[in-house]
Amino acid sequence: MTTEENDMQTQPAGKAKGGASPFIRLDEGKLQPKRKVDMNSIAVVKSENFNFYYGSKVGVKNITMDIYPCSVTAIIGPSGCGKSTFIRSINRINDLIPHGRAEGKLFVNGHNVYEKNTNLIRLRQQTGMVFQRPNPFPKSIFDNVAYGPRLQGIRDNSELQRIVEESLRAAALWDEVRDDLKNSAFALSGGQQQRLCIARALATRPNILLMDEPCSALDPTATGKIEDLIDQLQKDYTIVIVTHNMQQAARVSQRTAFFCLGELVEYDLTSKIFSNPAKKRTEDYVTGRFG
Amino acid sequence: MDKFFTGLSGFSIVLLTAALLIVLVPMLLKGGSAVFFKGTVEFRKMQADIFNRGDDAALKNEKERTRRAREFIYDSIETFKNGIDPAALSEKVRQINRQFGEQLKDKGIEGEDYQSLRSIARELRDKLIEAFESNDRNLINENIKFVFSYKQDNRLANSGMKEMFAIAEKFSRAIENVDFQKRDRYAQSLGEIEEIVTQLLGPKPGEPVPVLAMARYGATRWEQAEKLKEQLLYPVRWVGGKPGEPLVAEKYSRQEEFKGTAIEPLFGYVDKELSNMLEPRRTFYWQFFIDDSINSHYFGGVGPEILGTLLLTIVAMIFVIPLGVISAAYLVECSTENLAVKIIRMCINTLAGVPSIVFGLFGLAFFVLYLLPLFGAPSKGNILAASLTLAVLTLPLMIRASEEALRAVPHTYKEASLALGAGHFRTFIKVTLPAAMPGILTGIILSLGRVAGETAPILFTGTAAVASIPKSLFDATRTLSYGSYDMAVGDRIAAMVPHQQYGMVVTLILLVLILNTAAILLRWKISKKLRGH
């Protein structure tokens, strides 16, 4: 890979074989990025006039927004407005789409990810992603969580065990599965599977967590657990969450972005968006008059 | 309408089952008789001689018992023959005459004595031959009488000539009841009888052992023996109808034909005592699956055929599985849907439909005659070339099945893996491929069946009807499919041992079934693991 010494903030774990843990243990079961990011420093994700096209169709256009560290940013908007397109552009998972094309700049941890020399593997290790539907691999619970660390070259079993336990604890799943790590992930319930996916994303030690409607396939109890989890994780991670559920956005996020027809209509503190939006369209949407 | 469709599908299921049963049951029965059958003492003799199997002491007793039971057959044939076969008798008499001359010389008798004895011997010989060949009873009696008049002559009676008198005596007794009008017919029929008896009981004791193993033993299987008995007792003759109409087969009784002659009791004896002569016993000949065959499958089993089939299948699979999966991976993962890919896919679909004999000729032209000689292999059919040809034949099938399987892997697995920082290759190896494994195994199962059963592609590329057990991949081999084909086309022996042919076919079916069951079990295990139970 060409960008070994790029300016991304965190270093990928595991490259230092057999070295110290990639995690800093602050206290029991908590995960912490190596370098604590100052709340008031520059944005972790920063897009400048970002466009994405599906062939000739516009996905998102002219998005300019900053996403701040160690907070939850919610993206809301009607269906087809480009929320998912935008969040999936951040870790470039949209590259899989044939005829997809991006324009403009999108910085993650200070590096424009749409530059030619971007190390995709490193980018994706820094940006964990949780998908709409729980998508564990058809492997055991342990192997699911250990998938990321193993990719990073960690082979030592006790090391893997520690990472898996920490990740599962961080995802509030450890107590439920501690005795069944060898069982298939498919034996878990939907909510547990989604938390397993979160644990799997955390195990690569990202500093950004991208959540693409993580609760849309879950029942209210499981949703509540995930929301609690988001609440805990936001201390340590920058979380971007796409949601259809405006109550959820209001509950979990500090900032909210409203997308409509591929454009960013309004982006502000959550309290402001829901109580006193600047734009008429936002007000119409959050009060349920359209969308 | 619903009921109509239910009925229709039910009917088609019944029809299919019936068709399957009609095809399979007789085949299984006939093939099964290669392993389960009633073996005669001849079978046990053969097993002991050729394969060194069986209980020697018990076999010795059996041999003795059957020998005694058989004596009557040989005796009655011999007696009858004396009255019926002028050529053989004449030859014998001539021989005795010659030997007599030598005996005289050995004894030192010379001069006039010698001349007179010789001339008497010659005269006796001529009279006897005349009698043998004559159909006139008076002449025969006269000649025999003349011969007997010298019986008291000490010079003759104590020499080799006494055999001549014995023959004359036997002959005179044998012809008492013989109808001279039928003598030619008898001679012909006797030839048939002797041939059938040889097939039934093996060569006559005391005769030299034949070189060919199949001629050394009689009927080894009871059903064979019964067929021969039928031929012996009730042969078929073709009777002419009106002119212009085809001849009609008609069974007649040989016992009737030989009524009143010395051989008549033989038929009743064979009818009653055949099982004592052969001692049939239920036999489970499981060694059929490991034995080499003797005299083009007249005896023995299909061991080398099974080995060859397995070898070809496994080597072909070694080529076809990686190639098929890699090609499918390219089509699914690496290529965007452009013109080249469309052409490739069209080619694969076309190749899947090409007749297998075309692949056979391709294999001959490309692998056998061109490619392998480049690496120093002799340009003759060999296992490697045959396996490669089979691999090419089944590659389209494998690619299509693998492609379907890889496409069926949920997109979310791939996304999840990529989002965790895995590259495309790692994602394919660690996530997509394991998840597609059941589908790929289905492709392997289909290919296995095809490869194991194909005949045309290996016809020119690596099989032989007669081949030793292969020592390397550059030897030709026998296979079950080719063996069945070879026995079906114009092999005289195949008609005599249909159980061998059906046995081969059933073995092939069993072999494919076993391979498939193994693959299905594996698939079941993997998909169970994937489903998470």
Side-chain angles (χ1 to χ4, degrees):
Chain A
M1 295 295 167
T2 51
T3 53
E4 279 301 314
E5 49 292 303
N6 68 27
D7 52 351
M8 289 191 177
Q9 285 184 346
T10 50
Q11 292 300 309
K15 290 288 181 202
K17 278 194 183 119
S21 156
F23 296 97
I24 299 166
R25 280 192 89 146
L26 296 182
D27 49 13
E28 182 61 33
K30 290 281 169 59
L31 288 166
Q32 200 73 359
K34 211 174 243 172
R35 191 195 293 176
K36 181 85 173 152
V37 187
D38 183 3
M39 286 290 280
N40 300 317
S41 71
I42 54 148
V44 174
V45 178
K46 185 179 178 72
S47 80
E48 289 176 6
N49 295 324
F50 182 75
N51 303 303
F52 193 90
Y53 303 93
Y54 296 105
S56 56
K57 200 172 146 271
V58 178
V60 290
K61 62 184 175 204
N62 219 10
I63 305 290
T64 301
M65 68 184 280
D66 292 354
I67 291 169
Y68 296 101
C70 293
S71 65
V72 179
T73 306
I75 301 178
I76 59 170
S79 295
C81 69
K83 315 182 289 284
S84 287
T85 305
F86 178 69
I87 199 173
R88 289 163 71 90
S89 298
I90 295 175
N91 67 348
R92 285 190 59 177
I93 203 86
N94 260 354
D95 286 11
L96 288 178
I97 293 161
H99 312 301
R101 185 163 51 86
E103 276 173 14
K105 289 176 181 165
L106 186 66
F107 295 93
V108 173
N109 293 333
H111 179 87
N112 183 0
V113 297
Y114 282 94
E115 256 169 37
K116 274 224 160 60
N117 63 353
T118 302
N119 182 342
L120 279 182
I121 290 173
R122 191 165 295 182
L123 167 68
R124 284 168 186 166
Q125 282 168 4
Q126 292 172 8
T127 54
M129 188 161 208
V130 179
F131 295 85
Q132 254 179 30
R133 296 188 156 274
N135 58 350
F137 299 128
K139 298 170 188 279
S140 71
I141 294 171
F142 184 91
D143 287 341
N144 260 286
V145 182
Y147 187 81
R150 275 183 180 143
L151 285 176
Q152 294 167 6
I154 299 172
R155 289 276 173 275
D156 180 42
N157 211 35
S158 57
E159 176 82 0
L160 281 174
Q161 220 128 32
R162 207 178 53 71
I163 295 172
V164 168
E165 183 180 339
E166 281 180 16
S167 306
L168 284 171
R169 275 189 199 283
L173 193 61
W174 175 251
D175 293 331
E176 291 162 56
V177 301
R178 60 191 310 164
D179 299 325
D180 311 318
L181 290 180
K182 289 273 169 285
N183 287 7
S184 168
F186 287 178
L188 300 175
S189 72
Q192 287 174 321
Q193 284 187 17
Q194 192 63 301
R195 275 180 284 150
L196 178 68
C197 292
I198 293 173
R200 185 176 66 185
L202 296 181
T204 62
R205 208 191 59 146
N207 66 335
I208 303 167
L209 207 52
L210 306 171
M211 295 178 149
D212 190 357
E213 299 184 38
C215 302
S216 65
L218 303 181
D219 64 74
T221 324
T223 303
K225 283 189 178 170
I226 301 278
E227 284 177 6
D228 287 348
L229 179 60
I230 292 171
D231 222 33
Q232 285 171 29
L233 290 173
Q234 65 154 306
K235 279 183 279 183
D236 309 322
Y237 298 91
T238 308
I239 296 175
V240 185
I241 177 168
V242 166
T243 179
H244 266 298
N245 184 333
M246 276 173 284
Q247 277 77 35
Q248 187 176 52
R251 279 196 299 268
V252 299
S253 67
Q254 281 87 46
R255 287 184 181 78
T256 298
F258 173 57
F259 276 52
C260 193
L261 299 172
E263 286 176 86
L264 175 62
V265 178
E266 192 172 349
Y267 176 44
D268 214 325
L269 290 173
T270 302
S271 50
K272 185 143 183 283
I273 292 279
F274 283 96
S275 58
N276 186 20
K279 300 266 172 67
K280 178 82 169 64
R281 273 200 287 175
T282 316
E283 191 184 347
D284 286 351
Y285 183 72
V286 297
T287 52
R289 245 170 271 162
F290 104 101
Chain B
M1 208 56 182
D2 256 7
K3 268 184 187 161
F4 175 70
F5 275 115
T6 314
L8 203 66
S9 54
F11 177 69
S12 64
I13 288 170
V14 169
L15 209 68
L16 265 176
T17 317
L20 208 64
L21 285 180
I22 288 168
V23 172
L24 273 186
V25 168
M27 195 182 277
L28 282 175
L29 285 180
K30 282 188 182 173
S33 79
V35 182
F36 298 102
F37 59 94
K38 272 182 158 180
T40 65
V41 66
E42 297 294 318
F43 176 76
R44 293 185 282 279
K45 277 188 211 168
M46 180 269 286
Q47 287 284 307
D49 290 354
I50 299 178
F51 296 105
N52 247 329
R53 283 186 202 123
D55 183 351
D56 279 347
L59 184 61
K60 210 175 160 194
N61 288 336
E62 267 177 9
K63 269 186 186 170
E64 183 54 32
R65 279 201 304 273
T66 52
R67 191 190 61 74
R68 261 185 271 126
R70 290 169 186 190
E71 261 170 5
F72 179 77
I73 301 279
Y74 293 119
D75 284 352
S76 55
I77 290 179
E78 186 62 34
T79 315
F80 181 67
K81 214 170 165 184
N82 284 335
I84 201 66
D85 194 354
L89 288 171
S90 308
E91 181 55 39
K92 236 179 192 170
V93 173
R94 284 196 190 98
Q95 207 183 337
I96 292 168
N97 178 42
R98 273 198 298 280
Q99 281 169 357
F100 180 61
E102 280 159 26
Q103 278 175 2
L104 288 180
K105 271 182 199 160
D106 289 347
K107 283 181 185 166
I109 298 169
E110 277 171 5
E112 232 160 82
D113 271 0
Y114 177 78
Q115 290 302 335
S116 73
L117 278 175
R118 286 296 283 154
S119 72
I120 292 169
R122 265 198 295 276
E123 196 174 359
L124 290 182
R125 179 195 71 190
D126 292 342
K127 285 276 182 197
L128 272 180
I129 289 174
E130 197 184 8
F132 294 153
E133 283 166 1
S134 165
N135 282 340
D136 181 352
R137 205 174 280 277
N138 290 332
L139 180 81
I140 292 170
N141 285 340
E142 224 168 84
N143 283 3
I144 297 284
K145 218 171 167 185
F146 176 80
V147 172
F148 281 163
S149 64
Y150 283 93
K151 213 175 170 183
Q152 306 308 324
D153 190 329
N154 279 337
R155 289 174 306 175
L156 298 176
N158 294 331
S159 71
M161 286 300 277
K162 79 178 173 203
E163 272 183 59
M164 207 184 266
F165 296 125
I167 289 172
E169 207 165 329
K170 274 186 191 166
F171 177 71
S172 70
R173 250 189 296 145
I175 61 160
E176 267 170 34
N177 296 317
V178 171
D179 182 352
F180 284 120
Q181 304 305 314
K182 292 182 183 166
R183 220 156 87 153
D184 286 346
R185 278 253 315 283
Y186 281 164
Q188 194 194 343
S189 212
L190 184 68
E192 282 174 27
I193 290 171
E194 282 190 301
E195 197 176 309
I196 292 172
V197 167
T198 312
Q199 282 179 26
L200 199 58
L201 305 178
K204 198 173 159 183
E207 274 180 14
V209 178
V211 181
L212 217 55
M214 59 183 275
R216 270 182 239 158
Y217 306 97
T220 50
R221 302 160 63 89
W222 184 240
E223 82 259 9
Q224 245 172 13
E226 282 186 319
K227 218 188 277 174
L228 288 167
K229 185 176 99 178
E230 183 72 15
Q231 279 176 29
L232 183 66
L233 299 184
Y234 302 102
V236 171
R237 74 178 151 213
W238 294 89
V239 188
K242 287 172 197 159
E245 277 177 15
L247 297 178
V248 185
E250 182 195 76
K251 276 193 174 176
Y252 67 99
S253 164
R254 238 196 265 267
Q255 194 166 7
E256 291 294 313
E257 189 189 6
F258 284 95
K259 205 164 184 77
T261 65
I263 205 171
E264 196 202 337
L266 178 135
F267 303 105
Y269 185 79
V270 168
D271 202 9
K272 260 188 258 153
E273 301 288 323
L274 187 60
S275 64
N276 283 340
M277 287 187 270
L278 289 169
E279 303 208 340
R281 209 182 293 157
R282 278 181 201 290
T283 310
F284 173 42
Y285 179 43
W286 62 269
Q287 292 98 334
F288 180 74
F289 298 112
I290 55 169
D291 275 350
D292 200 348
S293 63
I294 309 288
N295 289 148
S296 313
H297 289 287
Y298 194 78
F299 297 136
V302 293
E305 274 82 1
I306 293 178
L307 184 76
T309 305
L310 279 176
L311 257 178
L312 278 188
T313 310
I314 289 167
V315 177
M317 279 325 204
I318 288 173
F319 287 110
V320 85
I321 293 172
L323 273 177
V325 174
I326 290 168
S327 310
Y330 171 76
L331 287 175
V332 175
E333 301 283 336
C334 302
S335 64
T336 47
E337 209 51 37
N338 56 24
L339 189 66
V341 172
K342 273 179 192 150
I343 289 174
I344 290 175
R345 189 160 290 132
M346 201 184 77
C347 289
I348 292 170
N349 288 341
T350 313
L351 279 178
V354 168
S356 50
I357 188 73
V358 176
F359 282 103
L361 287 170
F362 164 77
L364 175 68
F366 183 67
F367 293 124
V368 179
L369 298 178
Y370 175 71
L371 189 67
L372 293 179
L374 284 186
F375 298 100
S379 62
K380 66 178 176 59
N382 58 61
I383 295 174
L384 191 62
S387 300
L388 283 167
T389 312
L390 285 171
V392 173
L393 168 84
T394 189
L395 197 54
L397 194 79
M398 191 68 213
I399 293 175
R400 280 209 301 209
S402 309
E403 199 187 336
E404 296 290 315
L406 289 172
R407 273 192 206 289
V409 174
H411 199 62
T412 54
Y413 290 177
K414 219 170 118 181
E415 274 184 347
S417 171
L418 288 172
L420 287 168
H424 279 276
F425 182 68
R426 288 253 211 149
T427 300
F428 179 75
I429 296 289
K430 297 232 163 180
V431 177
T432 314
L433 197 58
M437 219 52 199
I440 292 174
L441 271 169
T442 306
I444 292 175
I445 290 168
L446 290 174
S447 305
L448 260 183
R450 183 105 200 257
V451 164
E454 274 293 350
T455 315
I458 55 177
L459 207 55
F460 321 116
T461 50
T463 49
V466 183
S468 50
I469 293 165
K471 287 178 188 64
S472 78
L473 287 184
F474 293 103
D475 289 337
T477 181
R478 289 182 257 169
T479 72
L480 288 167
S481 56
Y482 182 70
S484 328
Y485 161 77
D486 187 60
M487 290 195 84
V489 288
D491 192 329
R492 191 176 62 92
I493 288 174
M496 293 194 259
V497 283
H499 61 274
Q500 287 271 0
Q501 195 178 356
Y502 282 101
M504 248 190 251
V505 173
V506 171
T507 310
L508 181 56
I509 293 174
L510 282 180
L511 195 72
V512 173
L513 215 62
I514 289 169
L515 288 174
N516 279 3
T517 311
I520 287 167
L521 280 178
L522 192 66
R523 182 178 65 184
W524 177 73
K525 226 177 138 187
I526 290 177
S527 57
K528 205 175 96 171
K529 209 173 136 205
L530 287 179
R531 282 199 313 273
H533 295 298

